Every structure is written in structure tokens, then in C-alpha cells.
Amino acid sequence: MDRYEQVTELARRRGFMWPSFELYGGAAGFYDYGPLGARLKRRIEDIWRRFFVIGEGFAEIECPTIGIEEVFRASGHLSGFSDPLTECKECKEIYRADHLIKHIVEVPDALSAEEIYRVIKENDITCPECGGELSEVYEFNLMFRTAIGPGNRHPGYLRPETAQGMFINFPRLLRYYRDSLPFGAVQIGRSYRNEISPRQGVIRLREFSQAEAEVFIDPRSKRHPRFSEVKDLRLRLYSREAQERGEVEEMSVGEAVERGIIAHEILAYFVARTYEYLLAVGVDRERLRFRQHKADEMAHYAADCWDAEVLLDRLGWIEIVGIADRTDYDLRSHMALSKANLSVFVHYPEPIRRKRVVVKPDMKALGPRFKGRAKAIADALQSMDLSNLKDDIIKVTVDGETYEIERSLVSVEEIEEEIRGEEVVPHVIEPSFGIDRILYTVLEHSYHEEPVEGETRVVLRFLPGISPVDVAILPLMDKDELVEPARRIFDAFRRCGMLAEFDTSGSIGRRYRRNDEIGTPYCITVDYQTLEDGTVTVRDRDTMQQIRIGEERAVDVIRDLLSGALCFSEAGAPVKA
RNA sequence: GCGGCUGUGGUCCAGUGGUUAUGACAUGAGCUUCCCAAGCUCGUAACCCGGGUUCGAAUCCCGGCAGCCGCACCA
């Protein structure tokens, strides 16, 4: 059994996660989170909120998971998110149809399925494996399609990313942020991709959870005001050049920007915050690196892109976060299709005063004379170079026809104007997190086995605040005189909103092991001494050491231990082994 | 999707064309003043699904589903 198997087996058995629809034989690409997994996921998401919603001040929104066709036409998912496939009629092998005609057509991407099929036919292309005849080319789109309302007139698509919700709400968000850049909006939610063959448990799912931030910035400056907070963080970077050499470099974020390894401060800032977040949920620093996309693997619009990758036992280096500079691609696409103005008016610090020469056609005269064409002619006059306006008769050509205008009908004035700012289309920096992959990584990186008196102890070393259960309350034995005070303590925890478990079953040692296996950081045991002096023991998951504290302090001590305000060895009197 | 391997209680695994399908661990009840998976008693719990062959199928055959590995795919 390798680590992947051990972790997934534990996860299934103890209620973290398991394949969906097991009752009916299952369906690949779908996973359920059980009682512990759902809590763990919520905690991972809540820490994400602490970083990006609270820490960065990005507003969290929630949009439908079904989108209408226009959204995905603009985003490019309708055309670019599908692959043209063809199948060999003999050996049933499936090929990317566009790959088969690469040597004939320069840009196969531009062709429709029918056109690709025609090229295949005309060039007698056959199955590369067996030489058999190829089937018609069909589009396989990775988006799930459905119908909105009865009939098929309004197709809907399950969103393949949460990002579009932020883009299409840009005007509302901009108003919310009182018309000023930069600002960010985030969404945590489900996305859907109809993967051809999902594998590896929760690593490639057809329905998965993303946490995405879209940070709208002024494209004229890619500096970040809080860059100094992160510039000394040292990260493992696997840049394009480093990948050529095959070795990861460790350097500070500031150095990476100075040397031009990370494109700019803002991108680097979010790489750094991502690093801090991943450590905060329990990703192992030694098994984490940031890898830059190579030019050919980057989405065509992206200016630079860095993935956070983690090392997993069976699967190798896996992408768990992507941080991309999407430039203004998305907003411009939506502008083009929706005709809405998605730019922002940015004020200059000081208005710029500028002299300008303006051409003013005499519309009183031009209007009656040229009627419907007057506007076009006036526009043409205004866009003419001043040097052409010197003659007594000015010749203007509009739509192939030439008109003669007397010079007297055109006045030229020099005016001084004040320019207070300009319209910019914001660029977007997008940190995009795969929550399910992060959750699996946290499980695997937390998983430890250690020998204890000839037995193997399995411990999930979750960071405090991540573990699905905060504390377990255990009567030493299942006796009324011990159970009653233990219940009292248990209730106190519940009243304070902490996740406590109560367990009387089996020997005390067995219960400690059970809690180790699900990562409960502390166990409180009520024993016979509790009845005498009102103290209980607190046992630390990682060291298995114990201290004694007064029963009435239990809630406070555990809370402070979890928050890090208190250190275990100083929280109470040590218990002799 | 293709090819190979696999599918037995919650978990891991044994096994056979024929009565009531092994075992371990886990789990429930109980006993034991029990602090690191101890012991004892009793219990719960399984042959992936569908079809075929057969007097009889969990076992053989076919199909499906799922998992693993390889290929392809991975915006």
C-alpha cells in the first residue's frame, strides 16, 4: 500500500470522503465529503476567506452555477473548451482530429469539425495505428449542457470556472467599490468539467470546488502597495529557465521581481499570499513549489502564470493553485459581445492642460445641403490633417464619393482643454484555487505513521483550527460517576461553539488512537482524580504528553491552545509518565 | 474512450461449480479502578450489477459499472 492508498482508505473508512453514488455502483469523477471531510473543507475555505476576503478586502459574491450561452461564447469556453475528435472505425482508437491534419493545415484550430473532416477525406488520412477509416469529426465540449426552460431554445451550461461570475458583474462591482481601482471579488463554489477520463480520486473531478479571486487593477502600474510585506518571503520557484535546467531555485519574492522572473509586483504579491495560505492550512513547505507556465502551455491571453504545485506520493507534482495575469482579455471579450462599457475612468492626480486644434464644420450649412450624409462628411472633415484644410475648396471623400466644401464652411480653432483622466480597461490578476486538491494534499501531508511500543500509530497532524474535531472528551471508564462530569465539560464546549466529541467506548488507549487517526489535536480525560480535586488531563496529539488542569479552565485552555496563544507545556501541570 | 489487471462484511484478505462462505482488524452490548489499539463473553455485518450456461453460479461465459496501471485527453 502506498501513501495515496493509505490516505484514501483512511478517508473512506473514517468519513472524510468517498466515491459518490456507491449504492448504485458509482460514477467516475464524483466524490462525496462525509462528516469529517465536509468540516475539513469548510475550515479550509474559511481560512481562505480569512486571507482573501478579510485580509485583502475582496468582496465575496455568489452566482448561479448554470450560465447562459452568451457568457461562454464571450469567455471562449464554447469554442475553445472543446476538442474535435475522430474515431477509427476499425480499431476504435480516438484521436484529436486537429492533430491529425497539423502537417497539412497551418492553423487547424480555426477550422470547424466539418472542415477538418473534409481535410481528412481529401487527403486520405487514415488511422495512424491500423490504417482504418476515420469517423466523422465531432466536437467534444468539456462543458455540461442543459436546457433552460422547456424546449431547446435556451441552452444552459454548467460553469467550468467561477471566474465568469465576477467578470459579468463587473459594472455592479465597480459601483460597489465606488468607481475606483483596484478592487477584487471572489467566489467559492462548484464548477463542472465533463472530463473524458477522470482519475486519481479527488484530483480530477467532474464536479469540483474552486475558490477564485479576480483582482481588477489599473493596467498602467503593476506595483502593489503592500509588496514590502511579502518581499522577503523565500519561495521555491521553478521558472521557465529553471525548468530548462531542471532545478528549482529558492529566492525571495523581491528578488524574483527584480530579476524579472515573476513578471511584476502584483503577481508576485499573490504568489506570496498563496504561499502563506497554503502553509496556514497545512501544506508541507518542503513539498511545495511555484512553477511558471511555459509560453506554449499558457492560455493565449495570459501574460504570465504561476502554479502552486505540491508533491504527492503516488501522483508526483500536482497543480493546486494557478495565479495568472489574464490581462484585459475577459473584460474586452464581454465588452465586444455585450456592447457594454466595461472600462473605468481613472482620474489623474492633476488634470492635464493641453492645447488642441479642433475643426468645426458649419453644420447649419452642411446639414441642409447634404442631408443624411452631412454627419459622415463632418466626421471626415474633423479627422483630416490640418495641412489639407488650406485650400479654398476642400475635397472630402466619403464612401467612395467626393464632395467639395468651401473653406469658409469650416472653422479651425485652437482650444485649451483640461483632461482629468482616462478610460482604462482593467487588467485581471486571478489566483484560482482547487479546493478539493488542497484538501487531499492537507490529508496526505498531515498523514504520519510512527512506531509506538511495537504498534504503528497513525496520526493526522492537522494544524490546530483545521482539524474537523477540536477536542474529544473522554471519561476514563464508562461509569456514571465519570461520565457525568465529562458530559458537563462536553456541554460547556458545545455552548461555546466548539467542535467537541464525546466518546465512552473501548479502552482509553483505543480512544486516543481513534482520535489521532482523525487528527483531533487534544483529548480531555476525566478520571478518578477529577472526582477528588476537580482536575482533568489534557493530552496532546503530537507528543502524546499530558497535563492536568482545573475542569473549569478546560474551554479556555483548549481555545488558547488552538489559537496558539498558549503553549501546551505551559498550560498546566505535567503528568508523570 | 482503448488495452491490461482487479472487484468477497466498515477495512484488509482467504477460498470453492454443490449443505449454514474462512479469518484478522474495526464496530455494537457486557465484564474488568482501564492513561495510550490489552483481555474475556455475546452480537451485527459481505461474494459490484445485469444477462447467459447449468439440476445448481459468489465461482464459468458475455455485457455493464467502478478502481488501478499504460495510451489518449487534461481549457
Side-chain angles (χ1 to χ4, degrees):
Chain A
M1 257 216 249
D2 62 14
R3 187 51 52 87
Y4 173 81
E5 231 173 321
Q6 289 168 318
V7 171
T8 49
E9 190 269 320
L10 169 65
R12 232 179 310 135
R13 188 164 42 80
R14 297 307 306 271
F16 284 94
M17 57 202 192
W18 52 69
S20 300
F21 316 117
E22 278 186 311
L23 194 62
Y24 292 104
F30 298 96
Y31 256 75
D32 291 349
Y33 288 104
L36 296 179
R39 270 191 223 169
L40 178 60
K41 178 162 178 267
R42 187 142 313 234
R43 293 197 147 184
I44 287 172
E45 290 170 349
D46 280 343
I47 293 176
W48 196 88
R49 286 191 175 89
R50 209 155 72 209
F51 271 76
F52 292 93
V53 178
I54 296 170
E56 300 298 323
F58 299 155
E60 180 174 358
I61 63 171
E62 240 182 284
C63 304
T65 54
I66 293 180
I68 61 171
E69 188 164 80
E70 287 86 339
V71 173
F72 302 114
R73 200 177 312 137
S75 72
H77 287 100
L78 215 47
S79 54
F81 206 55
S82 68
D83 297 322
L85 299 181
T86 182
E87 189 178 331
C88 172
K89 289 178 177 173
E90 300 296 321
C91 69
K92 304 294 177 200
E93 186 65 61
I94 291 187
Y95 298 98
R96 281 280 296 270
D98 52 336
H99 288 180
L100 295 178
I101 58 167
K102 253 185 196 156
H103 58 288
I104 298 164
V105 183
E106 291 249 340
V107 193
D109 294 2
L111 300 184
S112 69
E114 292 77 34
E115 288 167 328
I116 295 175
Y117 186 56
R118 199 175 327 122
V119 173
I120 288 176
K121 279 278 151 199
E122 283 166 4
N123 293 278
D124 289 322
I125 291 172
T126 55
C127 172
E129 282 297 316
C130 71
E133 192 191 345
L134 294 168
S135 76
E136 283 197 32
V137 175
Y138 57 94
E139 288 285 335
F140 180 80
N141 194 291
L142 257 38
M143 282 194 294
F144 286 97
R145 191 184 148 103
T146 184
I148 299 174
N152 274 322
R153 268 186 302 170
H154 299 291
Y157 298 88
L158 296 192
R159 61 182 182 193
E161 59 176 17
T162 65
Q164 295 305 320
M166 277 75 90
F167 296 133
I168 61 179
N169 281 298
F170 178 78
R172 293 269 180 206
L173 291 165
L174 179 63
R175 284 296 302 154
Y176 175 82
Y177 281 102
R178 297 196 303 279
D179 297 310
S180 41
L181 293 177
F183 68 84
V186 310
Q187 201 167 180
I188 301 178
R190 302 271 189 161
S191 294
Y192 304 82
R193 293 174 193 180
N194 202 0
E195 297 283 354
I196 295 174
S197 78
R199 289 254 177 108
Q200 299 156 337
V202 92
I203 299 299
R204 254 175 90 202
L205 293 170
R206 290 187 164 124
E207 171 169 347
F208 57 101
S209 286
Q210 288 185 301
E212 292 191 301
E214 308 300 328
V215 189
F216 298 97
I217 61 167
D218 186 333
R220 295 165 310 168
S221 165
K222 296 196 169 177
R223 295 181 67 88
H224 196 286
R226 291 167 67 190
F227 188 67
S228 60
E229 291 175 28
V230 299
K231 73 174 183 358
D232 295 325
L233 267 186
R234 294 187 68 78
L235 311 180
R236 297 191 174 174
L237 298 182
Y238 201 34
S239 67
R240 260 169 235 150
E241 291 74 35
Q243 287 167 62
E244 306 263 313
R245 295 194 306 273
E247 58 187 44
V248 173
E249 298 170 276
E250 191 171 315
M251 72 181 80
S252 74
V253 179
E255 189 187 348
V257 173
E258 266 167 42
R259 286 172 50 189
I261 290 171
I262 301 181
H264 51 80
E265 275 188 12
I266 298 184
L267 199 62
Y269 177 81
F270 288 108
V271 167
R273 289 297 186 213
T274 297
Y275 174 79
E276 290 178 327
Y277 165 75
L278 292 174
L279 294 194
V281 295
V283 171
D284 179 12
R285 162 197 327 259
E286 303 300 313
R287 284 177 275 180
L288 170 62
R289 72 181 185 195
F290 287 85
R291 190 179 71 81
Q292 186 174 35
H293 277 210
K294 296 195 201 128
D296 60 349
E297 76 182 297
M298 214 149 42
H300 56 283
Y301 48 79
D304 193 8
C305 184
W306 287 79
D307 286 344
E309 294 186 328
V310 288
L311 185 59
L312 298 178
D313 188 54
R314 180 193 290 186
L315 309 171
W317 289 98
I318 293 285
E319 169 196 354
I320 56 171
V321 184
I323 306 153
D325 182 345
R326 290 176 78 132
T327 69
D328 55 9
Y329 172 83
D330 301 276
L331 289 179
R332 284 203 187 275
S333 302
H334 285 297
M335 261 203 285
L337 194 67
S338 69
K339 309 285 187 235
N341 177 21
L342 303 180
S343 62
V344 181
F345 186 81
V346 183
H347 288 264
Y348 295 142
E350 289 287 318
I352 296 172
R353 301 187 77 81
R354 182 168 79 177
K355 289 198 172 123
R356 190 161 68 97
V357 174
V358 289
V359 177
K360 287 189 174 169
D362 182 353
M363 293 312 285
K364 263 190 191 145
L366 294 180
R369 191 150 118 203
F370 296 108
K371 308 244 161 36
R373 282 157 298 170
K375 175 82 169 75
I377 291 168
D379 287 348
L381 283 168
Q382 283 175 318
S383 62
M384 281 173 79
D385 198 89
L386 282 182
S387 60
N388 294 328
L389 295 172
K390 285 182 185 134
D391 305 332
D392 287 345
I393 299 291
I394 304 163
K395 287 186 180 168
V396 195
T397 305
V398 174
D399 291 336
E401 267 197 71
T402 305
Y403 303 91
E404 297 195 341
I405 316 285
E406 297 81 356
R407 173 69 181 76
S408 60
L409 294 180
V410 180
S411 66
V412 176
E413 288 174 32
E414 187 181 59
I415 58 162
E416 187 176 73
E417 60 181 3
E418 213 177 50
I419 303 169
R420 296 172 181 282
E422 65 182 287
E423 297 267 327
V424 300
V425 177
H427 279 201
V428 173
I429 308 298
E430 179 196 74
S432 171
F433 292 65
I435 295 294
D436 311 272
R437 291 180 173 192
I438 291 173
L439 186 144
Y440 176 78
T441 305
V442 169
L443 280 176
E444 193 180 299
H445 285 190
S446 303
Y447 186 97
H448 287 86
E449 285 182 353
E450 58 186 34
V452 174
E453 292 169 18
E455 303 266 1
T456 302
R457 183 171 86 115
V458 173
V459 195
L460 287 181
R461 295 219 158 108
F462 290 131
L463 295 176
I466 285 288
S467 54
V469 177
D470 288 324
V471 61
I473 318 299
L474 313 171
L476 185 65
M477 292 181 63
D478 192 6
K479 298 273 185 202
D480 286 349
E481 65 265 36
L482 297 175
V483 167
E484 269 174 41
R487 278 224 171 266
R488 234 174 20 235
I489 298 170
F490 178 51
D491 288 339
F493 276 104
R494 293 210 288 194
R495 273 198 302 277
C496 297
M498 296 177 72
L499 290 165
E501 291 282 332
F502 186 81
D503 188 0
T504 62
S505 117
S507 75
I508 188 67
R510 178 185 297 273
R511 281 175 278 159
Y512 285 150
R513 289 291 196 273
R514 275 206 286 251
N515 278 289
D516 288 341
E517 204 180 44
I518 63 167
T520 309
Y522 300 104
C523 292
I524 289 181
T525 303
V526 171
D527 56 16
Y528 287 97
Q529 195 179 328
T530 309
L531 305 180
E532 290 165 19
D533 64 6
T535 62
V536 295
T537 69
V538 181
R539 177 229 190 221
D540 175 57
R541 175 195 68 203
D542 294 340
T543 62
M544 304 201 301
Q545 280 167 359
Q546 286 179 293
I547 53 173
R548 279 203 95 83
I549 61 170
E551 178 191 333
E552 72 293 343
R553 290 178 60 219
V555 170
D556 289 337
V557 167
I558 294 296
R559 189 190 284 123
D560 290 347
L561 285 171
L562 289 174
S563 74
L566 194 60
C567 140
F568 182 76
S569 57
E570 289 162 10
V575 174
K576 294 167 289 296

